[in-house]
Structure formats: C-alpha cells, structure tokens
Amino acid sequence: MNTSLRMQAIQKLLLSKKPEELGEESMSARNQRFKTIDTSKYTPILVSKGSLRQKEMKTKTLKPRDVSTRVTREVSPISHSSLNRLSSTASSQIFKKLNQKKHLSSSSSVDIIKPISKIVEKASKIKLPSKTLVKSPRKLPKTPTGEILSIRDPSKIRDSNPNPKSELEKAWRKALNLSNGIEPYSGSFTTYTAFIGKGNNSPMVKALFIKRHWWRVIENKDSANFVWSQWKDKQVISELRCCNHKPILNQEQSIRNLNEFQNGKYPCSIDLDNIGFGLIQKSKSYIQLSSEKIHADQQRLHNKLEFNNCLTNKKGLYMTMRNYYQVTNQCVFDKLPITFTVTSIDDEEYVKFLALYNLIESEKKETQSQNLWIVKPGEFSNRGNGITVCQTLDEISAIVKPINEKSYIIQKYIENPLLLNKRKFDIRCYAMITSINGIIQGYFYLDGYLRTTSKEFTLDEISNPFVHLTNDAIQKHSAEYGKFENGNKMSYKEFQRYLDQNFPDRKINFTLHILTQIKEIVKDTMKASFIKIDKNKRLHCMEVFGYDFMIDQNFKPWLIEINTNPCLETSSPHLRNIIPPMLENAFKIVLDSLFPPPINHRCEFNGTNRFELCFHQDIDGKALIENLGENIKFLDG
C-alpha cells in the first residue's frame, strides 16, 4: 500500500473512532510522524482573555513566528486530539457539523482538509496579545527588536514622582504668601480677569497674561480682578476694601518649603540660589506670618499705590526723604542734590535758596563752580518735561511764578558727573513696593541699564538738552541718537568693562561699590514712605517704580527722581532683555501668589527671580518704629 492510500485509511479509521477510544499513546504508536503537541498550551485564539493572561504569565515571551507555527500545527486536521479540543469550544461548532455529515467518511483527505484549512486560515488572522503585563516596567530588561514587548504603553503610565518644577512653583507661592499672611483656597473655576489700560507698551503687558492661561483680558475694569493703568486710578482705589486687622507673627517660623528641594526629597538637585530663591527667603527682611484663608477669585489688585505721590512727584520725594533723614540724624544732601521746594520768589524757601546762591557765586573763582541749577515742576512731571538748566538768577526767577496748587523744585546741578566716553549718563533701576493683605514689602531689581546722551558734555551749552538730559523721550529726537550705543543704552556688564579699561587703578566693582549704595538709598525710600504710601491698607496694591541715579567723579550715586510710570518701551535689544523679564518677575511675585492657577492648571517654575526682598514692615518697619519712638510721627507728615 502506497503512502497516500495508507494515510487515507488511517484518517478514515481515526474519524470513525470515538474520541475516548483514542489515547495519546495509541496515536503515537501508529506513526511517529503524526505525533502532535498538546494544544492546551497554545490556545490563545480560542479562549477567554482571563485564561490567556494566566497562561502568558506562566510562559516565556514568544517570538511571533513561533506562535504562528505552533498554532498551525496544533489545529492540523490529522491530529484527532487537537480536533477533540477544538470541538469542545463554542467557536468550533463547525467541526461538529462536519463530523455529523455522512459523506465525510467517504471523502478524500484533500476534501477533508479544504474546509478545515479555511477555518485555520481565518483563525490565524486573529491578532494575538502582543504585550504581557509585568508588575514594574522599571525593572524590565531591554527587549531585543522583534520580540513581543511585555510593558504597558508609556504614555498611559502616570509617574508617581512629583514634577520638581511644578512643586517648586507651589513652594515659591507658599513662601511669598506666608510673608503676606495669606493662604488662597485651592479650587477650580473658569478664569481671573484683567483690565489693561492703553499706552506705555500695553501690548507687552497683555502678552504676559497670554502665557497665564487662567487669566482673561477684558475691557471692563469694574469687574476685573486686576487693573493695570499708566496712572493711578482713583475710582478703582476707592472701591478697594481696606484691611482692618493686624498681622500675627508665625512663631514656628517654618521655612522648610523651599529647603525640601535641597535635602534630597525631589529626584533632581536644585540650587535655589542660582534661580534667585535666596534673594527672597534668605533676605534679612523675610518673615512668615500666620495665614488667613482667602478666596482668590474674590480679590482685586491695582498696579498703583494710593499715596504714591510721596515718592513719585519731585516735591513729595524731597519732603519724604528730608523728614526721614532728619529723624534718623542723617543729612539728606548726602543722598540727594541740594534741593529747595518753592511756590514763588516770596517763599521762605526761596529766600534760603537765594542766600546759598549768592554764597556760591562769591566763591566761584576759588571753587571753579559754574553755580548751575535745575528748575523742575514740583508735581505732575514725567520724562523730562518742564526741566530747565539755569546759570543765572534772572533765569530762575523768570521761571518761578506763583501758580495755584503748584510748586517748583530748584536743585543743584551736578557739575562733576562721571562721564562715559565724554558724554553724560544716568542709571535707571527698578524697585517694587507691594501692599498685599495690608502688609508693605519692598523689592529691588538687580538688573538695570545706563541712559546716555548723544552729545559730549560741556558747560558751555547749558540750553542744549541733548548734552544735559538723558531722558529717552528727549534724546530720541537727536540726530545722533543711537550713534554710540544702540538706543543710547548700555548694560551693567558693558559699563563694568568701561570702568576696568578707563579706571584700572581704582579697581571699581560696579555691583559691590556702586549698586550696593544705590540699593541702600532705595531701601531708605521704602523706610521713609511705608507709613503713608498706603495708609488705608487697600486690598490690594502693588507698584513698579523707575529710579534714576547720577554718578559723580568720585563714583558716588545721587538719587535724582522716582517715576510712577517708568517707560516700558523696548526700543533697543538691551531693553528687550531687561523690561519684559522684569515685569514678568514682578507678576510672578504678586499675581501668581495672590491669584494662583486653579488645581486643574499645571504651572511650572521657569526663569530666575531677580527681585531682592529689602523691606518688610514687620522687620524693618517695626525696628524703625522702635528706634524713633514718638518721632515716628514725622514720617507721616
């Protein structure tokens, strides 16, 4: 009997037998070539998912080709035990029907194989589970290409470790809020709203809110959480509630929030000093107060302080600093040029000025002084408007005329300024005072710039503003504007190189020798004004000020004026590097702590803080009150 006939005979015999009559042993005894593998190990295409997972966890990972080969062999029509197991499943009812047909026993092996091969082909197309669950994907070894991966989709795995930048942002806000004695409730809501007034680069201000997705810019200031304007909005301020309680010191003084990033709690090491946290937390003015719970979405903030004129108009600044230096036994004219505030030539102050003018005039030859003076409006002036340099008494008296509710500042001109390539310059720096929850705090911004003139300095051209006034609003009209420096601006670093090249023997370090003195004067302005700048304790106010300083040939800084509406125009590359980050930094300190993002908004700490805390009313203000005793009343005059 040839092989094909023998195979047919064997197949007929197998199909005619009942399943229980055939055992594994009898099958192997007939012909070893038809010995099959137990299909109970390889039935993933026809069993439930639960049993599949149990099987897969007990077996090794299989290559795709191994799976397909073994499944095909196990459902071969010449394996009766395989047919028996297939027929026992719900999905193989077709095999039972084939066994019940009478003509099946008389058909050839080819006829038998054809219908079953279609079932096998259809079954082989069913997708096998390509992944096996493991307890921890972090312990999984590298899987060679082509093997079945046994890890979950990484995009669906939630990292159990906290995001350091997100946690850092929360700790930053927490530290700032503790210094103000508040703790906003965390919750979800739609957005905060901001009103941005026109002018002074308002598009840049709006752009800072676009990055804060939990804010929305609106056109109605009456319903806005934050109102930004160039000038003080008296209506908005009058609608702000007043704080009627005193802060309570937190005796525990727990400042561990930020320190957790340096003691190994978080997976990455973060140098808090490099990102500017130490400028706040390590400041001698930093203090923590007991927190009062507030609803952030019910708060309002204005970018101006109610009585800022005590610093921002020239008469107010002079009177405020004169009173402060008098009660602290210091000379105001060691920090400000000699100044007189007058209303007319009949004013008592004008008589004092006249006496000093005549004295200097009589000593001109000995002192080689030109007896030059600057006359400015005492109120409501900005960006160099109304400033005149005078060298004769007649010129001064012609300007000083009695006008109702107006005064004049007569100030000694600094005749020996430090020059930059033979041209005059001044220094613009920034500071911020906040009144949050009735707590006055002051910050000094470490970056600034120099403003240069377009013409070489000379006392022979007193009437030429391009020689004597550094205001950008004036210099931009000069034909030589931008000829020497881009936009007539210079950075602190560039100025340091100039000092190193032109005064190597003096070894002047701008940051240590000049900026430190400037920062002390700025702090004095905060001490002098903290009692009256927001005496009603409005909820809430903040203000960014522009300070202008002159430097003389002895490298001594002189405070010239403080601006409530400092220019925010970015007319040069250096200003684009200074002004937007400065304002963003100010908003990060005030806005993001008072109006934190909702819990469904992810917020990360980006950038570096450059504002240094230099005044807190419960540290510096309290110490001043204790030292002055009853004389503290002179600061409120």
Side-chain angles (χ1 to χ4, degrees):
M1 184 180 294
N2 58 26
T3 304
S4 62
L5 294 176
R6 185 178 179 181
M7 288 179 61
Q8 293 179 14
I10 293 173
Q11 290 174 351
K12 290 180 179 181
L13 179 63
L14 291 174
L15 293 175
S16 64
K17 291 282 185 177
K18 296 181 179 180
E20 57 269 17
E21 295 179 4
L22 292 175
E24 189 83 19
E25 184 177 348
S26 61
M27 286 295 297
S28 61
R30 294 177 186 274
N31 195 325
Q32 293 296 326
R33 288 186 300 173
F34 301 119
K35 184 177 180 180
T36 60
I37 301 174
D38 185 1
T39 59
S40 62
K41 298 180 182 179
Y42 309 104
T43 57
I45 62 173
L46 297 173
V47 297
S48 64
K49 293 183 178 180
S51 61
L52 172 63
R53 291 193 181 95
Q54 293 178 358
K55 298 292 185 180
E56 289 178 332
M57 292 300 293
K58 295 180 181 180
T59 59
K60 297 181 180 180
T61 56
L62 301 176
K63 297 183 179 180
R65 63 181 183 179
D66 295 336
V67 175
S68 61
T69 302
R70 294 185 182 186
V71 171
T72 303
R73 290 172 58 189
E74 289 155 1
V75 295
S76 172
I78 61 176
S79 172
H80 193 295
S81 61
S82 298
L83 286 173
N84 178 36
R85 300 183 191 283
L86 288 170
S87 63
S88 64
T89 63
S91 61
S92 60
Q93 295 300 321
I94 189 170
F95 288 99
K96 291 183 179 180
K97 293 181 180 180
L98 290 174
N99 283 329
Q100 293 174 358
K101 291 188 177 180
K102 294 181 180 180
H103 72 274
L104 189 64
S105 59
S106 61
S107 299
S108 65
S109 61
V110 176
D111 295 331
I112 296 173
I113 292 173
K114 282 183 178 180
I116 299 178
S117 64
K118 293 181 179 180
I119 304 302
V120 173
E121 181 181 359
K122 183 177 181 181
S124 64
K125 293 180 180 180
I126 299 176
K127 293 184 179 180
L128 294 173
S130 60
K131 299 174 184 179
T132 304
L133 298 178
V134 294
K135 292 184 178 180
S136 176
R138 294 182 180 84
K139 297 181 181 179
L140 190 70
K142 291 184 178 180
T143 307
T145 304
E147 290 190 13
I148 299 175
L149 299 179
S150 58
I151 62 172
R152 293 177 293 172
D153 185 356
S155 64
K156 298 181 180 179
I157 300 175
R158 186 174 181 177
D159 193 357
S160 59
N161 292 328
N163 183 344
K165 287 188 176 181
S166 179
E167 295 299 316
L168 194 62
E169 177 72 18
K170 294 177 183 178
W172 162 259
R173 295 197 303 266
K174 180 73 172 179
L176 292 168
N177 284 332
L178 283 173
S179 68
N180 287 313
I182 59 173
E183 183 179 354
Y185 285 106
S186 59
S188 59
F189 49 89
T190 307
T191 52
Y192 304 110
T193 55
F195 172 83
I196 310 299
K198 296 180 180 179
N200 200 7
N201 204 359
S202 57
M204 181 200 70
V205 181
K206 290 182 180 179
L208 298 179
F209 282 88
I210 294 176
K211 299 193 304 182
R212 291 167 165 79
H213 304 294
W214 56 97
W215 280 89
R216 180 167 55 93
V217 177
I218 62 175
E219 298 299 325
N220 184 9
K221 65 182 178 182
D222 295 334
S223 59
N225 293 107
F226 177 56
V227 177
W228 171 277
S229 60
Q230 288 194 72
W231 308 103
K232 182 169 51 182
D233 193 315
K234 294 182 179 180
Q235 178 185 348
V236 171
I237 289 179
S238 65
E239 294 172 352
L240 297 177
R241 293 179 293 113
C242 297
C243 180
N244 54 11
H245 65 271
K246 293 184 178 180
I248 301 174
L249 180 66
N250 185 352
Q251 298 295 337
E252 295 181 1
Q253 281 292 288
S254 174
I255 56 175
R256 63 180 179 274
N257 306 89
L258 299 180
N259 291 336
E260 290 177 346
F261 290 86
Q262 292 179 318
N263 62 11
K265 177 179 178 180
Y266 294 93
C268 64
S269 95
I270 299 174
D271 190 339
L272 298 181
D273 290 336
N274 284 343
I275 58 177
F277 275 32
L279 296 175
I280 304 292
Q281 191 185 20
K282 293 183 180 180
S283 168
K284 294 180 180 179
S285 299
Y286 182 77
I287 189 175
Q288 292 188 345
L289 305 173
S290 295
S291 297
E292 174 191 1
K293 286 278 190 176
I294 64 170
H295 293 278
D297 55 333
Q298 298 176 9
Q299 307 304 311
R300 297 198 75 194
L301 175 70
H302 186 34
N303 71 313
K304 300 296 178 185
L305 293 157
E306 185 171 11
F307 301 105
N308 60 4
N309 57 317
C310 68
L311 293 178
T312 57
N313 72 48
K314 296 170 177 61
K315 177 182 178 180
L317 174 62
Y318 169 67
M319 300 299 293
T320 297
M321 301 312 295
R322 185 191 68 178
N323 293 344
Y324 171 76
Y325 285 122
Q326 281 182 350
V327 296
T328 56
N329 297 319
Q330 301 179 70
C331 179
V332 63
F333 300 137
D334 282 339
K335 308 297 174 62
L336 279 70
I338 297 174
T339 304
F340 297 92
T341 173
V342 302
T343 56
S344 69
I345 58 175
D346 297 324
D347 195 321
E348 183 179 350
E349 281 285 300
Y350 187 84
V351 176
K352 294 180 182 179
F353 155 72
L354 188 58
L356 181 60
Y357 178 89
N358 291 330
L359 177 61
I360 296 175
E361 188 70 20
S362 63
E363 299 177 350
K364 280 178 60 173
K365 294 182 179 180
E366 298 179 5
T367 59
Q368 296 182 349
S369 172
Q370 298 294 318
N371 204 7
L372 299 179
W373 295 80
I374 290 183
V375 181
K376 316 174 188 179
E379 302 88 7
F380 313 114
S381 65
N382 192 38
R383 301 183 179 181
N385 293 326
I387 298 178
T388 306
V389 181
C390 303
Q391 60 182 348
T392 67
L393 194 58
D394 292 338
E395 292 174 343
I396 297 173
S397 60
I399 296 173
V400 179
K401 296 179 180 179
I403 300 176
N404 293 336
E405 298 182 357
K406 287 190 177 181
S407 62
Y408 299 92
I409 292 292
I410 304 176
Q411 191 170 74
K412 187 69 179 70
Y413 185 88
I414 298 176
E415 298 179 10
N416 62 332
L418 181 66
L419 299 180
L420 183 64
N421 295 319
K422 299 182 180 181
R423 289 173 291 114
K424 191 178 177 181
F425 72 93
D426 69 0
I427 297 176
R428 163 60 59 87
C429 56
Y430 298 98
M432 177 173 65
I433 297 178
T434 65
S435 181
I436 308 299
N437 195 34
I439 307 298
I440 303 292
Q441 296 193 69
Y443 303 83
F444 179 77
Y445 196 66
L446 297 181
D447 297 323
Y449 57 93
L450 277 64
R451 305 184 301 180
T452 63
T453 59
S454 301
K455 297 284 187 178
E456 290 188 0
F457 178 74
T458 175
L459 295 178
D460 296 333
E461 296 183 46
I462 297 301
S463 60
N464 190 338
F466 302 137
V467 174
H468 301 282
L469 302 181
T470 59
N471 305 75
D472 201 57
I474 293 175
Q475 290 296 326
K476 68 181 181 181
H477 298 292
S478 171
E480 295 181 303
Y481 178 71
K483 177 180 178 181
F484 304 102
E485 295 86 25
N486 195 326
N488 281 37
K489 306 296 183 296
M490 177 179 282
S491 69
Y492 287 171
K493 290 183 179 179
E494 291 170 331
F495 182 53
Q496 181 63 61
R497 288 196 291 269
Y498 177 82
L499 295 175
D500 294 339
Q501 294 173 1
N502 292 272
F503 305 95
D505 55 325
R506 300 292 297 269
K507 300 185 184 303
I508 299 296
N509 184 305
F510 173 76
T511 301
L512 294 178
H513 300 143
I514 299 178
L515 198 61
T516 299
Q517 296 182 66
I518 289 176
K519 185 166 58 177
E520 285 300 318
I521 297 175
V522 171
K523 185 173 182 176
D524 286 344
T525 65
M526 297 171 181
K527 289 181 178 180
S529 63
F530 84 98
I531 290 179
K532 57 184 177 181
I533 198 168
D534 190 27
K535 62 177 66 178
N536 291 326
K537 306 296 182 184
R538 299 289 184 178
L539 298 174
H540 310 274
C541 297
M542 62 163 287
E543 186 159 356
V544 174
F545 298 97
Y547 283 69
D548 294 338
F549 287 87
M550 292 287 299
I551 310 296
D552 65 19
Q553 292 178 354
N554 297 318
F555 302 97
K556 177 181 174 59
W558 298 89
L559 175 60
I560 303 301
E561 63 183 24
I562 303 175
N563 298 275
T564 181
N565 185 35
C567 181
L568 299 178
E569 299 294 337
T570 53
S571 56
S572 70
H574 186 64
L575 294 184
R576 288 191 287 272
N577 293 331
I578 291 290
I579 293 178
M582 180 276 299
L583 196 56
E584 164 66 20
N585 200 164
F587 286 168
K588 181 169 284 294
I589 290 175
V590 185
L591 279 183
D592 296 348
S593 56
L594 183 60
F595 301 99
I599 55 176
N600 58 331
H601 283 269
R602 181 175 176 178
C603 184
E604 296 184 352
F605 186 88
N606 295 309
T608 300
N609 171 58
R610 297 291 289 166
F611 271 107
E612 179 179 354
L613 178 65
C614 58
F615 178 86
H616 193 293
Q617 72 171 40
D618 287 317
I619 294 291
D620 309 281
K622 184 178 180 180
L624 183 63
I625 292 173
E626 292 176 352
N627 291 334
L628 295 181
E630 294 183 357
N631 290 332
I632 194 68
K633 62 184 179 183
F634 292 108
L635 297 185
D636 197 21

